[in-house]
Amino acid sequence: MQIIKEALATGAKPNKSDAFTINGQPRDTQPCSNTSIFRTVVDHDKTYLLRIINVVMNEEMFFMVADHKLTVVGIDAAYVKPILTKYIMITPGQTMDVLITANQSTSHYYIAARAFAGVVFSNATTTIVFQALASTNHPIDVPKSIQTRLFVTISVNTYPCEQQNATCSGPNGDRLSNSLNNITFYTLEIDILQAYYKSIKDVYKGDFPYNPQCVFNYTADPMLSDNYTMSDLNGTRVRILDCNSIVEIVFQGTNVMNASENHPMHLHRFGFYLVGYGFGNFDENKSPSGYNLVDPPELNTIGVPKNGWATVS
């Protein structure tokens, strides 16, 4: 939490951590964990369940076990059709259930994780398919009659220092901030749900936009000079939805300030179907043709790809 507090206080990027850890321990070559790093003995040909949780602040992580294959059987506490892979990539806040069989020769094998960073994708749009169980015993009902559609851009922006005549540590002496549809959420002392149910005025505005306020080439490179995309609005904006209404949200990553990254998105206390996922700009005429409306996974956390998009319903 100290890293977050420092970043909020100065308006600059968060300081880099000294190390990543697995269950609180960095790699065994570091003195602090050389003797205390977790080790376990496994039985040959026995299958084990690993429940993996990414609690890193803001890094998607690759995870693997040396010389072994992983079978992903669940994501965010929901079963998926088994996926056999050499490694997984897991986003902050996400959980995965993975089976591993100790079927290699007797030896020592590392469990390792490293950050997803520095990877550059083309700007072309592509899609990949995810599958849930979707069987007679595990039926799913993907909503198709959409009643409300939201298109939400995710950006790194700036806004002026809050103190008069002060200079912050972000670009041009401003503060760095994240935004959805160019709006940075402002947290007040009164809870939003409390204000809603008790009809307390002036806590939030119910006008969070259905679409971005400015339409532009979201993944253009470079993108440093458009002031209308760099500066954001600061406010507590919400979109009130009818109970049991069917909603589709397209999350679009952007390259504003050349600060594109993979964005973890979580819907608190709700699950959703991840029906589409791709790189580049979402195309409302072409991208939906690649949706998986038969057996998409049911999740509560996704990673919107760097300079890409994801659709949930």
Side-chain angles (χ1 to χ4, degrees), residues 52 62-65 67-73 82-89 96-100:
I52 304 163
F62 287 115
F63 176 95
M64 68 175 296
V65 179
D67 294 334
H68 287 74
K69 290 187 177 180
L70 308 174
T71 302
V72 182
V73 295
I83 304 169
L84 185 64
T85 179
K86 292 182 179 179
Y87 58 87
I88 61 170
M89 190 187 80
M96 290 191 183
D97 296 325
V98 174
L99 298 178
I100 179 172

Side-chain angles (χ1 to χ4, degrees), residues 137-172:
N137 294 327
H138 302 277
I140 63 172
D141 183 18
V142 183
K144 300 182 178 67
S145 301
I146 307 300
Q147 296 165 314
T148 301
R149 284 185 166 86
L150 292 162
F151 185 88
V152 180
T153 54
I154 311 169
S155 303
V156 176
N157 309 81
T158 63
Y159 69 89
C161 273
E162 294 172 335
Q163 291 128 359
Q164 190 174 9
N165 299 322
T167 300
C168 291
S169 301
N172 302 318

Side-chain angles (χ1 to χ4, degrees), residues 1 17 23 71 89 102 150-151 158 180 190 201 210 223 250 257 274 281 291 303:
M1 292 299 296
S17 300
N23 282 357
T71 302
M89 190 187 80
L150 292 162
F151 185 88
T158 63
L180 299 177
I190 300 176
K201 295 182 179 181
Y210 289 100
M223 188 183 291
V250 178
M257 297 179 60
L274 176 60
N281 294 329
Y291 283 177

Side-chain angles (χ1 to χ4, degrees), residues 29-55:
T29 56
Q30 295 192 357
C32 62
S33 62
N34 182 263
T35 58
S36 60
I37 192 170
F38 175 76
R39 293 175 172 86
T40 187
V41 177
V42 297
D43 295 330
H44 192 265
D45 282 335
K46 187 175 180 179
T47 299
Y48 295 84
L49 171 65
L50 303 180
R51 180 154 291 165
I52 304 163
I53 307 171
N54 185 350
V55 296

Side-chain angles (χ1 to χ4, degrees), residues 189-203:
E189 294 182 0
I190 300 176
D191 183 85
I192 291 178
L193 285 178
Q194 180 184 5
Y196 175 80
Y197 285 112
K198 294 186 177 181
S199 300
I200 303 174
K201 295 182 179 181
D202 300 324
V203 175

Side-chain angles (χ1 to χ4, degrees), residues 124-249:
T125 299
T126 186
T127 58
I128 52 182
V129 177
F130 299 82
Q131 294 178 295
L133 285 180
S135 64
T136 303
N137 294 327
H138 302 277
I140 63 172
D141 183 18
V142 183
K144 300 182 178 67
S145 301
I146 307 300
Q147 296 165 314
T148 301
R149 284 185 166 86
L150 292 162
F151 185 88
V152 180
T153 54
I154 311 169
S155 303
V156 176
N157 309 81
T158 63
Y159 69 89
C161 273
E162 294 172 335
Q163 291 128 359
Q164 190 174 9
N165 299 322
T167 300
C168 291
S169 301
N172 302 318
D174 292 331
R175 300 178 64 87
L176 284 172
S177 64
N178 288 330
S179 71
L180 299 177
N181 280 352
N182 229 47
I183 298 171
T184 292
F185 183 78
Y186 185 76
T187 304
L188 299 174
E189 294 182 0
I190 300 176
D191 183 85
I192 291 178
L193 285 178
Q194 180 184 5
Y196 175 80
Y197 285 112
K198 294 186 177 181
S199 300
I200 303 174
K201 295 182 179 181
D202 300 324
V203 175
Y204 63 85
K205 293 182 178 179
D207 60 351
F208 183 83
Y210 289 100
N211 296 285
Q213 300 171 84
C214 301
V215 178
F216 55 97
N217 184 357
Y218 306 114
T219 56
D221 188 16
M223 188 183 291
L224 291 171
S225 60
D226 295 328
N227 290 330
Y228 67 89
T229 60
M230 287 179 63
S231 300
D232 64 343
L233 302 174
N234 203 1
T236 307
R237 310 286 186 88
V238 305
R239 174 57 56 187
I240 299 174
L241 303 169
D242 293 333
C243 182
N244 292 324
S245 60
I246 300 174
V247 182
E248 179 185 274
I249 306 176

